Amino acid sequence: MTKKDVVYSAKLKHANPLDLIFSDGDSELTTPKNQATSIKPERIRLDPTQPRRYFERKKLEELTQSIKVVGILEPLLVRPLGNGDYELIAGERRLIAAGMADLEEVPVVIKEMDDATVKQVRLIENLQREDLNAYEETIGILELLVLRLKMSQDEVVSLLNRMEKANRKKADNVIRSDEVAIVEGVFMAFGKLSPESFRTNRLPLLNLPDEIQQALSQGKIEYTKARAIAKLKIDEDRKQLLSQAIDNNLSLVEIQQLVRNIQSKEEGNDNPPLLKYQYKELSKQLASSKVWDNPKKKKALEKLLNQIKIILEEQEESTEN
């Protein structure tokens, strides 16, 4: 964390993210006058256009148990749909856990909001999740900047680049002060990154291959490991290593070594380092495994070993011929 990041974090200490972001007259959203009321969960609708977020099962179960004991401490935020039902604005994780806890009613605060404001509030709530990973945070902040600035994603990136040049006194054009204020407000609200740290360390995540971005969005792998795997340019090698890293929970050091091995393999090598690594690891596991004590599994292993034996024999025959 840089000195600028520390400053942003300090400013956040007693601040409400909604107060800092909606500093242009919309801060009333943070202090709804409506008192919390209770409604049946089945009357709450999710926006069909809103993509479902990934929620870790274990965390949901922990929240469910907490709700069973003390109930829902923070009301859900909803807006009326006009047919007696309500649309969920904030609190999807709590709503899911309430269903798992079989609650008959859930506490809600009902607010009238337009579509643009709803999108921003949802993004802000998502960005305050404890289990948010670096990739999700990057996507969320960028989407929030797009909405707040009323710009395209490319225009937001361009603005961040121009702000960096201005800080180095190399600006090639004028930056509007209101745009800078919005950017500063968004980053100050969450207190984890400065605009420059975001530009330098987080935006590169958006250039990662699709399969790696998907794994990151689902919380299956840390972004430091993901960036190491992304150095592989051959799709098949990269996808194979990604799968191996997730399944075996490889450390960053192990991944980096495998990446170096794969990058250095000779052209046309039919026995890539990753397969050698898998073979060695499986050999170690088989040697100490109790699978040999299970007749059914032992029979399955014998079948697989025979298949390997056949492949090796065929290879020897082709070499002799």
Side-chain angles (χ1 to χ4, degrees), residues 130-189:
E130 290 183 1
D131 60 344
L132 196 69
N133 64 51
Y135 177 80
E136 290 178 302
E137 186 177 54
T138 301
I139 293 295
I141 289 176
L142 193 56
E143 289 180 351
L144 186 56
L145 287 171
V146 165
L147 290 171
R148 294 299 293 160
L149 292 163
K150 296 180 175 60
M151 294 180 175
S152 67
Q153 181 172 306
D154 289 342
E155 288 172 333
V156 170
V157 173
S158 175
L159 174 60
L160 292 173
N161 288 332
R162 287 187 286 119
M163 287 176 60
E164 189 274 334
K165 288 182 180 180
N167 288 335
R168 292 189 291 115
K169 303 193 181 299
K170 293 183 180 180
D172 52 5
N173 54 7
V174 177
I175 302 176
R176 291 171 48 185
S177 59
D178 56 336
E179 293 176 344
V180 173
I182 290 174
V183 172
E184 295 280 354
V186 167
F187 283 99
M188 189 183 298

Side-chain angles (χ1 to χ4, degrees), residues 221 225 229 240-250 255:
I221 192 169
K225 296 179 181 180
I229 296 171
Q240 191 177 16
L241 180 54
L242 176 64
S243 177
Q244 182 75 8
I246 293 172
D247 292 343
N248 293 341
N249 192 27
L250 298 181
I255 290 172

